[in-house]
Amino acid sequence: MARAKDENKVIAIYEATLKLVLENGFTGLKMSKVAKEAKLATGTLYIYFKDKEQLINALYLYIKTEQTKQYFWDYSETDSFVSNFRKLWFRVVEVGMKQPEYAIFMEQYYRSPFIKEDSKVQGEALISPVYQLLERGKAEQLIKDIPLELLVCQLLGATNELINLHQEGNFKVTKVHLEAMFKMSWDAIKN
Amino acid sequence: MARAKDENKVIAIYEATLKLVLENGFTGLKMSKVAKEAKLATGTLYIYFKDKEQLINALYLYIKTEQTKQYFWDYSETDSFVSNFRKLWFRVVEVGMKQPEYAIFMEQYYRSPFIKEDSKVQGEALISPVYQLLERGKAEQLIKDIPLELLVCQLLGATNELINLHQEGNFKVTKVHLEAMFKMSWDAIKN
Amino acid sequence: MARAKDENKVIAIYEATLKLVLENGFTGLKMSKVAKEAKLATGTLYIYFKDKEQLINALYLYIKTEQTKQYFWDYSETDSFVSNFRKLWFRVVEVGMKQPEYAIFMEQYYRSPFIKEDSKVQGEALISPVYQLLERGKAEQLIKDIPLELLVCQLLGATNELINLHQEGNFKVTKVHLEAMFKMSWDAIKN
Amino acid sequence: MARAKDENKVIAIYEATLKLVLENGFTGLKMSKVAKEAKLATGTLYIYFKDKEQLINALYLYIKTEQTKQYFWDYSETDSFVSNFRKLWFRVVEVGMKQPEYAIFMEQYYRSPFIKEDSKVQGEALISPVYQLLERGKAEQLIKDIPLELLVCQLLGATNELINLHQEGNFKVTKVHLEAMFKMSWDAIKN
DNA sequence: TATGAATGAGTGTTCATTCAT
DNA sequence: GATGAATGAACACTCATTCAT
């Protein structure tokens, strides 16, 4: 875990790591390159993180926390389901498109030998509000009565792919496209 | 006459590689482990594949070809759009759930430093019938008039996540669930 | 501050390499053995030299420079030709007999796949004073009017073999022998 | 040792080996490449030679024998010393310039880990007539009274270098040059 | 704390040699 | 005998981690 010494360095390390994972996946990720990218000596990295595994798991939690903050900062549970669903859907897509590294990292993390079960569980707990919202939609009979897991597949599968499509850069995603994608997702789950 | 080069060995190598990628991602993929898993000496690997990069790209093409065969073996373009769409959707899911390694490998491949542009292009060409089918659906005004790329995000995003869900093993996907997922996908794109 | 890069290590590596080439030629030259002989970890070698090729070419230049220094450190172009010729001839032989590894290395280097043309050219430029001296001898009509290349064959061929003879150890080369050899060389070229 | 089965193959193997040593030294010498160059399967090589070491030592003896044959085929011990010396000197140079691979191979052989003492001794015995001739010259007081080893250094050092010079190809060695070189060698040793 | 040289186990790959055909 | 696929020990080189400064 990062010591409180220099929070800026921790962030620099996270960003360096994300940049490199974006470029080459976990396979090309070398501690020395992370250090260089973060403008640190290799040894300094090990002051902040015990080893590579810890860096990666800490980064995972950092990303999950960041994403959650950005998803929910102006979220009000008292708003209507439909309003909240729409807000959240667009938030997920916007955040993902702004920081595609996050999604890429996640994808690789789940299949890596670095993953630690408790970090994973901890990270996933952070997005429980998403599950709660969908539960509420079901309770209010606004969306289909289908296991949450499947609804999440449907919704996040589509948004993730959309983020990838944007990141690859061969297709320019416009406002109109976003509305069309949202419409499809809504049509998919609505009752 | 010496022993003849053995096509079975190529398949054994592919399967060993897939198994290992499934377990640990590309990061944990070691040529010596592939050899051991395929019950070969390390050197033998290099008779069949020049290097790791070539193995991975060849495997990518193999998977794409296999998938395509399984998707389309009894496919008839003269059937109705709706019938074909349904058949293809289920085929994609069934194949994916039977061989989740394929999807996992693909995911990692696209972010790896091994990817060779021309292999990628070649592989992607194989699934053009999917694009053609959706094009036809649009022409017949049965599905929404939205760029193909977005329709594909919506559909394959969802099926990929479903395959992952199945593969993780924490949620048992039943026939009923499949029908529900299909319904969502269809509702998402239908006109 | 970390440890500073250590010039002594470079020398230690050179000496280790020379020792091993002397024993087994380039064929038996292994980076791990060089490291062990120089009392370093394998990886340390690669801090100082990018790869084996670079080590070998750097060592070639080092040897050429060392030899040149030793040949010419008290050399004065204003002395008479005969005096200079004699001094240089004995210097070449003394240096060669003191460090037979140098000659052995050179021999192998020229036939190795490691040789880089520009290193070779650079190294050969260092001994141009030898050529200049012989040119002067020709101009002063003290030695035969024969292409320099042939004079050099005659002279260095003999000295190299003498060095080999000494190095093999089956024949003890004395002062008297040296004088005899010098006499032969001089008789060979003198006008 | 080669079995008597197919003498042509043995020669083909020798020539292939020589060609490859000429190109890259012993370092680049691979049994599989020798086989390919000799238009044989790798395994076939091992029918004729037990291993690499044996091939190299057999080849050494082959070369020494060939050279000797070519040096002495029309040699008559009853001719005068001077006539024989001249004939032999030119023979050595001609043979060396015609087959520079021989000299290159020898050079590398003596510093390789493949060398076997008894092969070396056996090979060197073959050129004893050279020693005998010089002994006779000394007895007849035609050449300097100097240890044979030194005379050989002087003479063969120069011829070897001349052969190298020719082989490198940057200097065209003419008849006139040969006469000049011979003159130098003779002046070096004559009484 | 920060540095980056040093370490050495581990990786991809080669190649002498064997062996099934 | 001839073949060339198979083997696996070894080698060049890398990189996570340590440690002297």
Side-chain angles (χ1 to χ4, degrees), chain D:
Chain D
M1 205 61 40
R3 304 193 197 168
K5 271 294 134 177
D6 188 344
E7 193 59 24
N8 292 332
K9 289 216 175 80
V10 171
I11 302 297
I13 291 168
Y14 286 156
E15 283 172 358
T17 309
L18 284 169
K19 187 177 170 206
L20 294 172
V21 170
L22 180 62
E23 284 166 10
N24 276 319
F26 274 27
T27 309
L29 188 68
K30 285 151 206 177
M31 294 299 267
S32 58
K33 280 193 184 173
V34 170
K36 183 177 277 186
E37 182 73 32
K39 294 185 178 159
L40 298 172
T42 318
T44 311
L45 223 55
Y46 285 84
I47 294 168
Y48 291 87
F49 300 96
K50 185 177 139 288
D51 56 21
K52 196 175 180 179
E53 187 187 40
Q54 190 172 106
L55 164 57
I56 283 170
N57 282 284
L59 177 48
Y60 168 73
L61 283 175
Y62 170 78
I63 289 176
K64 278 288 180 191
T65 310
E66 275 305 297
Q67 283 185 328
T68 308
K69 261 195 262 175
Q70 297 185 263
Y71 291 168
F72 299 113
W73 69 273
D74 65 346
Y75 187 80
S76 162
E77 291 195 358
T78 55
D79 290 355
S80 76
F81 169 77
V82 172
S83 157
N84 270 344
F85 177 76
R86 185 182 163 89
K87 184 185 265 180
L88 190 53
W89 191 94
F90 277 91
R91 212 37 78 67
V92 167
V93 173
E94 278 158 24
V95 169
M97 284 170 63
K98 209 170 296 167
Q99 278 136 339
E101 315 85 83
Y102 286 9
I104 305 307
F105 179 90
M106 228 97 268
E107 219 174 76
Q108 302 265 316
Y109 173 74
Y110 285 118
R111 300 286 165 199
S112 80
F114 301 110
I115 193 168
K116 278 196 296 193
E117 194 53 26
D118 61 333
S119 296
K120 189 184 158 198
V121 170
Q122 230 180 105
E124 282 168 353
L126 290 169
I127 54 157
S128 62
V130 175
Y131 285 80
Q132 284 156 29
L133 179 66
L134 291 172
E135 199 71 80
R136 173 179 162 199
K138 278 169 68 176
E140 296 180 10
Q141 300 194 314
L142 297 169
I143 62 176
K144 290 170 177 151
D145 184 22
I146 288 175
L148 281 186
E149 287 87 344
L150 299 182
L151 292 169
V152 168
C153 278
Q154 183 70 32
L155 294 168
L156 295 189
T159 53
N160 283 341
E161 284 300 308
L162 183 59
I163 291 162
N164 275 332
L165 183 67
H166 166 74
Q167 202 270 319
E168 278 169 26
N170 301 320
F171 182 89
K172 176 141 176 42
V173 180
T174 66
K175 290 261 160 191
V176 175
H177 293 146
L178 290 186
E179 287 293 347
M181 282 297 289
F182 175 72
K183 179 80 165 49
M184 283 198 283
S185 283
W186 178 244
D187 289 346
I189 67 167
K190 76 155 184 257
N191 224 343

Side-chain angles (χ1 to χ4, degrees), chain B:
Chain B
M1 209 64 45
R3 279 161 281 188
K5 267 201 196 180
D6 187 348
E7 191 58 26
N8 294 332
K9 291 217 173 71
V10 172
I11 303 295
I13 292 167
Y14 286 156
E15 282 171 359
T17 309
L18 283 170
K19 187 176 170 205
L20 294 171
V21 170
L22 179 62
E23 282 165 11
N24 276 320
F26 274 28
T27 310
L29 188 67
K30 275 128 214 193
M31 293 301 266
S32 56
K33 282 193 185 170
V34 171
K36 184 175 279 185
E37 181 73 34
K39 295 186 176 158
L40 298 172
T42 324
T44 311
L45 228 53
Y46 288 83
I47 295 171
Y48 292 88
F49 299 96
K50 190 179 135 288
D51 57 19
K52 197 174 178 180
E53 188 189 33
Q54 190 171 107
L55 165 57
I56 284 170
N57 281 282
L59 176 49
Y60 166 73
L61 282 176
Y62 170 76
I63 289 176
K64 278 286 182 191
T65 309
E66 277 305 299
Q67 283 184 328
T68 308
K69 263 196 261 174
Q70 296 185 265
Y71 292 168
F72 298 113
W73 69 272
D74 66 344
Y75 188 79
S76 164
E77 290 196 359
T78 54
D79 291 353
S80 75
F81 168 78
V82 172
S83 154
N84 271 342
F85 178 77
R86 185 183 164 90
K87 183 185 265 181
L88 189 54
W89 191 94
F90 277 91
R91 210 40 77 64
V92 166
V93 173
E94 278 158 24
V95 169
M97 285 171 62
K98 208 170 298 170
Q99 279 137 339
E101 316 86 83
Y102 285 10
I104 306 306
F105 179 89
M106 228 96 269
E107 218 174 79
Q108 302 265 317
Y109 174 75
Y110 285 119
R111 299 284 164 200
S112 81
F114 301 111
I115 193 168
K116 278 196 296 192
E117 193 53 26
D118 59 334
S119 295
K120 188 184 158 197
V121 169
Q122 233 180 102
E124 282 170 351
L126 290 169
I127 53 154
S128 62
V130 174
Y131 285 80
Q132 283 157 28
L133 179 65
L134 292 172
E135 198 71 80
R136 173 179 162 199
K138 278 168 68 175
E140 296 181 8
Q141 301 194 313
L142 296 169
I143 62 176
K144 290 170 176 152
D145 185 22
I146 288 175
L148 282 186
E149 287 87 345
L150 300 182
L151 292 169
V152 167
C153 279
Q154 182 70 32
L155 294 168
L156 295 189
T159 51
N160 283 342
E161 285 299 310
L162 182 58
I163 291 162
N164 275 332
L165 182 67
H166 165 74
Q167 202 271 317
E168 279 169 27
N170 301 320
F171 182 89
K172 176 141 176 42
V173 181
T174 65
K175 289 263 162 186
V176 175
H177 294 145
L178 290 187
E179 287 293 345
M181 283 297 288
F182 175 71
K183 179 80 164 50
M184 283 198 282
S185 283
W186 177 245
D187 288 346
I189 66 167
K190 76 156 186 257
N191 223 343

Side-chain angles (χ1 to χ4, degrees), chain A residues 3 9 41 43-44 48:
Chain A
R3 303 194 197 168
K9 289 216 175 78
T44 312
Y48 291 86

Side-chain angles (χ1 to χ4, degrees), chain C residues 1-3 29-31 42 46 51-52:
Chain C
M1 210 62 45
R3 279 162 281 189
L29 188 67
K30 275 127 213 194
M31 294 300 267
T42 322
Y46 289 85
D51 55 21
K52 198 175 178 179

